[in-house]
Amino acid sequence: MPIEYRAERHRWLLSTTNTAYAIQLTEQGQLLHLYYGAKLPFETDYPAPPAEGRLASFHAGRYTWLAEISLPTGIFDTEPVLRPIFADGTRDLRLRYLTHEITETELLIRLQDEHYGLEVGLRYRVWADCDLISRRVELHNRGESPITFEEILSGSLPLPHDRDDFRLTHLAGAWASEYQLEQTPLTSGRKVIDGRLLNSGHANSPFFALDIDATENSGEVWFGGLEWSGNWKIVIEQAHQPYKFTRIAAGLNDYDFSWWLEAGQSFETPWLTLGYTGGGFGQMSRNLHRYQLDHLLPPAFAHDIRPVLYNSWEAVFFAVNEADQLALAEKAARLGVEIFVMDDGWFGQRDSDRAGLGDWHPSPTKFPNGLQPLIEKVKALGMQFGLWVEPEMVNPDSDLYRAHPDWVYHFPNREPTTGRNQLILNLARPDVEAWMFDWLDKLLGEHDISYIKWDYNRSVSEPGWPAARPEQQREIWVRHTQALYRIVDKLRQNHPQVLFEACSGGGGRTGLGALAHFDHMHTSDNTDPLDRLPIQLGYSLVYAPKTMYTWVTHTDFNQAKYSMRYRFLSAFMGSLCLATNLHHWSEAEMDEAARYIAEYKGVRAIVQNGTFYRLSPLTDPENLAVQYLSEDQQRGMILAYQRREHFWNNPTRLKLSGLEPTARYHLSGDLAEGEPAHLSGQALMQYGLMPKLEGYHDCALINIEKG
């Protein structure tokens, strides 16, 4: 059973295929975390609670650091999951066990404050096949007075308390350089990674990993991701000797935040999905990828192959009209593209980023007969039609803003700060949410649209909501994202044929939260094939390759002269997208591109639905190699890239993973001279193979087939 309760020991045990998570109820009605790690043979193998003890009157006791949910109680020096203010001003929380419920895959433990009418539910979901556990906090005000919360996290997790040699891994970066690997030894004190600009942010991804001497293929790793696209934070704390305690807490960011919970009301936090593996960072990634494909992604398209996509932005920018879009579509169809997406510039008075945003009707000068003629012509070419929108934004120079200037986030007596010449609509307002859903629902209902690219192109400023009561004005950080999710979910229900992409200037809205509502994420606005490789590799640490569209464009941030082959093979790492000006390609280049697209279609099922392995170290910026293995383990593909070349830095042998040791495999493609065409799985994993990489910005594609 995934969840067991041993009444005689007052202990819950949550088990996956390879891991276990143990919680203990003390005689005082408190919850202690006992264990999270490799699954043990017997229930009695799991540790008993240690003596509580206290080092000195200046420190909290051991039970504070071992608490299943950290609380502001007594002497405490850990990040609290909840910080309530009761009506009489009390800012202390003392929860006691009430009851619990167990279903096949869920556990709910109910706790209640010993005096006030606050009930707290700790809900756990066990994903046995992925070796993951999700948890969240559920608040219920059973009292007669409102409760203010200044912090609401999704949970906290103590790590093994006999170790203090953890290393922290997370993803950092900036616009156009997202998902850069950061690794640092964890030291005493408190480290915070967060996002607090209303989207999850380019600078950090809502994910953490703590390991002990882990490599790609071995070592213990504890990790987690927050399923939230708004403001978030992850706190990692480590106590000094002699306790050697380490804790993680994660959830909604408390920056400029409060929540007013009226009597009788409830609140649920985002899910925090946690994992443990003894198989290093590679197994961590595969567990997270499988969770996304099998459980997290919207189910309508979760296992469908992502079509090859063309996006018109980098070809024409705002110079959009029916004739030019059709000309691009005709060339895209020749290449084998399956969805044609018209980007920004199709609506209102949208000739630049200075006007028109918010006026969501086809431009009468660019599309005098509306969008339908273009859509019909694109479909007649054998492609589906997609459209770019940025629903949460408005230009001051727009009919919408002139009619509703109070609909944006703003403070009284302050001039609003624009970003990209636009302001952010206040989705915390029910009337704005209703308007946004209505025009999108009408757009999709009146047109045969199969794809929506949902963009969000600035960070928040002046986060005010003057029309709200003072005690609710700082709820906008949560209410905005809740409304976003509701709108997208209702649109999906009404228009089940539509794929939805989450974009925010590239990777500014990336995370497990987006993947619970959108089908994939825009990884980065940087489409330079050299720069994309470490971005895509960092992305793979947490997110499944299928969920990123990887781009072929003519934009070269490095001013390098890349071959067509290098551009395409760089984009083979995920779901393939083109966004170049096809009018600039010669006939020979068009033919070459068509061959690469056909080649990608032959392997994309392996890339998108298969199992992913990194063959090169995460920390190696010069050379990169990855492997994909089909679901039935009969076929595979290797991609290898040389980002730099020095006479002392030659390609190394690639040791494969996941193969059947005694099976025989046929190899074809870009193998170095003299490499055998047939080898056993054991030989490929033990000794490996040498790709053919012979120059600066060279790349290799090798196919493997069992039998």
Side-chain angles (χ1 to χ4, degrees):
M1 292 290 293
I3 303 171
E4 299 178 81
Y5 177 63
R6 298 300 177 95
E8 71 280 4
R9 298 167 67 91
H10 303 293
R11 179 180 293 183
W12 294 269
L13 188 64
L14 288 65
S15 300
T16 68
T17 302
N18 298 296
T19 72
Y21 187 111
I23 307 167
Q24 179 77 43
L25 179 65
T26 70
E27 294 180 357
Q28 292 75 33
Q30 299 169 315
L31 294 179
L32 294 184
H33 180 88
L34 296 184
Y35 180 87
Y36 191 24
K39 193 174 183 178
L40 303 178
F42 306 107
E43 189 272 335
T44 53
D45 289 339
Y46 298 100
E52 180 171 12
R54 187 185 301 274
L55 180 64
S57 60
F58 300 99
H59 300 281
R62 287 184 176 88
Y63 281 12
T64 298
W65 282 85
L66 292 177
E68 179 65 12
I69 174 173
S70 51
L71 300 172
T73 301
I75 297 175
F76 72 98
D77 50 10
T78 62
E79 183 75 21
V81 170
L82 302 171
R83 284 194 287 127
I85 304 175
F86 294 103
D88 62 2
T90 297
R91 302 190 309 278
D92 180 89
L93 185 56
R94 306 194 179 192
L95 298 179
R96 297 294 180 264
Y97 168 79
L98 279 179
T99 185
H100 72 272
E101 298 174 8
I102 295 176
T103 62
E104 184 176 354
T105 59
E106 284 200 5
L107 166 66
L108 174 62
I109 301 176
R110 290 195 176 94
L111 310 168
Q112 186 166 358
D113 185 83
E114 61 186 25
H115 178 78
Y116 300 96
L118 174 63
E119 181 181 306
V120 177
L122 306 184
R123 188 177 294 274
Y124 303 79
R125 284 181 179 171
V126 177
W127 309 102
D129 57 331
C130 304
D131 282 332
L132 299 174
I133 293 172
S134 298
R135 55 179 299 188
R136 74 179 182 197
V137 171
E138 301 173 357
L139 305 176
H140 308 278
N141 187 350
R142 310 293 191 195
E144 299 179 354
S145 301
I147 306 170
T148 299
F149 287 89
E150 293 186 319
E151 185 164 25
I152 307 175
L153 302 183
S154 298
S156 54
L157 175 69
L159 267 63
H161 55 272
D162 59 343
R163 303 295 297 265
D164 62 356
D165 52 348
F166 294 102
R167 176 178 57 174
L168 171 64
T169 297
H170 63 106
L171 297 174
W175 175 80
S177 61
E178 298 90 337
Y179 320 115
Q180 303 300 308
L181 183 74
E182 294 279 353
Q183 291 187 311
T184 181
L186 196 62
T187 56
S188 296
R190 182 176 286 113
K191 182 175 180 60
V192 178
I193 51 176
D194 69 352
R196 57 185 196 180
L197 295 173
L198 200 56
N199 59 345
S200 49
H202 298 82
N204 292 297
S205 192
F207 158 82
F208 72 89
L210 292 172
D211 74 280
I212 300 175
D213 298 327
T215 65
E216 181 67 16
N217 298 311
S218 65
E220 292 186 289
V221 187
W222 292 262
F223 57 94
L226 195 66
E227 298 182 11
W228 187 246
S229 305
N231 286 13
W232 60 274
K233 79 170 184 178
I234 297 172
V235 181
I236 304 100
E237 304 173 284
Q238 188 171 88
H240 193 57
Q241 300 279 4
Y243 280 167
K244 297 184 181 178
F245 282 140
T246 303
R247 286 186 67 91
I248 300 146
L252 302 173
N253 201 319
D254 58 336
Y255 169 76
D256 194 39
F257 165 82
S258 69
W259 192 269
W260 179 266
L261 193 66
E262 294 274 10
Q265 289 186 343
S266 299
F267 182 90
E268 295 176 350
T269 71
W271 289 102
L272 171 63
T273 296
L274 301 169
Y276 164 84
T277 179
F281 292 107
Q283 191 59 51
M284 176 197 76
S285 299
R286 288 186 286 277
N287 290 349
L288 286 167
H289 295 175
R290 187 49 51 191
Y291 169 63
Q292 292 158 41
L293 297 179
D294 290 350
H295 303 292
L296 183 64
L297 282 168
F301 300 106
H303 293 98
D304 288 1
I305 296 299
R306 296 289 182 265
V308 176
L309 183 148
Y310 179 84
N311 181 285
S312 69
W313 173 248
E314 295 199 19
V316 297
F317 298 103
F318 292 104
V320 172
N321 61 63
E322 183 177 332
D324 288 345
Q325 291 294 296
L326 180 58
L328 287 169
E330 289 171 344
K331 291 198 170 183
R334 280 181 53 193
L335 297 176
V337 167
E338 295 158 316
I339 289 187
F340 180 88
V341 177
M342 182 165 62
D343 211 278
D344 197 354
W346 60 269
F347 53 90
Q349 301 298 315
R350 190 67 167 170
D351 297 316
S352 71
D353 63 13
R354 295 183 176 277
L357 201 57
D359 301 336
W360 296 104
H361 52 81
S363 166
T365 57
K366 299 178 180 181
F367 298 94
N369 298 309
L371 297 179
Q372 199 57 37
L374 175 62
I375 295 174
E376 291 175 356
K377 292 171 184 174
V378 167
K379 290 189 64 183
L381 292 169
M383 298 182 294
Q384 296 174 304
F385 183 80
L387 203 59
W388 177 96
V389 295
E390 193 172 7
E392 298 156 85
M393 302 291 169
V394 63
N395 287 126
D397 185 4
S398 67
D399 294 339
L400 178 68
Y401 185 77
R402 284 184 282 271
H404 301 285
D406 56 326
W407 276 16
V408 300
Y409 292 116
H410 67 284
F411 289 129
N413 308 311
R414 295 290 185 267
E415 183 71 20
T417 302
T418 58
R420 200 174 182 253
N421 301 300
Q422 61 197 49
L423 301 170
I424 304 178
L425 292 168
N426 182 354
L427 264 187
R429 292 180 56 132
D431 53 350
V432 175
E433 179 182 347
W435 165 84
M436 193 177 297
F437 171 77
D438 287 344
W439 76 257
L440 282 160
D441 188 50
K442 181 179 179 182
L443 176 72
L444 295 176
E446 293 179 350
H447 301 89
D448 190 358
I449 294 172
S450 301
Y451 186 97
I452 287 291
K453 178 182 177 182
W454 188 301
D455 215 339
Y456 180 98
N457 274 313
R458 62 155 296 176
S459 295
V460 72
S461 62
E462 294 85 40
W465 182 11
R469 296 184 303 179
E471 61 269 17
Q472 288 189 302
Q473 294 198 14
R474 292 191 294 161
E475 296 178 2
I476 60 128
W477 307 105
V478 173
R479 292 188 179 276
H480 187 105
T481 302
Q482 289 175 333
L484 168 70
Y485 289 167
R486 283 194 297 268
I487 291 170
V488 174
D489 290 349
K490 286 193 294 183
L491 290 172
R492 299 191 72 101
Q493 183 177 2
N494 290 359
H495 310 282
Q497 81 283 1
V498 180
L499 280 160
F500 284 84
E501 173 188 348
C503 178
S504 178
R509 202 170 238 169
T510 303
L512 299 179
L515 289 180
H517 304 273
F518 293 83
D519 297 290
H520 45 263
M521 300 180 288
H522 190 43
T523 317
S524 179
D525 279 350
N526 186 343
T527 57
D528 182 286
L530 181 70
D531 286 353
R532 285 290 297 217
L533 292 175
I535 290 173
Q536 292 166 184
L537 190 70
Y539 185 96
S540 78
L541 188 72
V542 186
Y543 308 111
K546 180 180 192 170
T547 65
M548 65 171 169
Y549 262 108
T550 43
W551 292 53
V552 175
T553 74
H554 62 273
T555 300
D556 302 334
F557 279 40
N558 297 298
Q559 303 298 309
K561 294 186 180 300
Y562 304 110
S563 67
M564 182 79 77
R565 176 178 173 77
Y566 197 81
R567 294 179 191 277
F568 269 93
L569 261 63
S570 173
F572 272 29
M573 285 183 67
S575 298
L576 181 61
C577 171
L578 283 74
T580 193
N581 192 335
L582 300 179
H583 299 318
H584 293 170
W585 280 0
S586 66
E587 286 298 310
E589 288 173 321
M590 289 285 290
D591 291 342
E592 185 180 4
R595 289 195 299 272
Y596 286 126
I597 290 173
E599 185 174 15
Y600 174 77
K601 289 179 178 179
V603 298
R604 64 178 167 180
I606 303 173
V607 173
Q608 296 182 21
N609 288 336
T611 306
F612 176 82
Y613 301 88
R614 286 179 292 270
L615 303 183
S616 56
L618 275 165
T619 53
D620 182 0
E622 301 302 320
N623 299 289
L624 185 155
V626 295
Q627 173 193 335
Y628 305 82
L629 197 60
S630 64
E631 290 182 283
D632 61 7
Q633 297 185 319
Q634 296 298 305
R635 297 178 61 211
M637 182 183 74
I638 299 157
L639 293 169
Y641 309 90
Q642 191 158 284
R643 301 185 69 238
R644 297 285 187 268
E645 184 186 35
H646 314 289
F647 73 88
W648 64 87
N649 181 21
N650 296 313
T652 57
R653 300 194 71 81
L654 302 178
K655 296 182 179 180
L656 307 193
S657 296
L659 305 181
E660 184 179 333
T662 58
R664 189 171 175 82
Y665 291 87
H666 174 69
L667 308 174
S668 60
D670 300 314
L671 291 162
E673 185 176 355
E675 288 292 301
H678 294 86
L679 284 172
S680 70
Q682 183 67 34
L684 287 168
M685 292 187 291
Q686 184 71 29
Y687 182 62
L689 56 81
M690 180 72 77
K692 183 181 179 182
L693 294 172
E694 297 181 334
Y696 194 54
H697 295 164
D698 200 4
C699 50
L701 189 156
I702 300 168
N703 292 296
I704 59 176
E705 189 166 358
K706 188 177 177 181

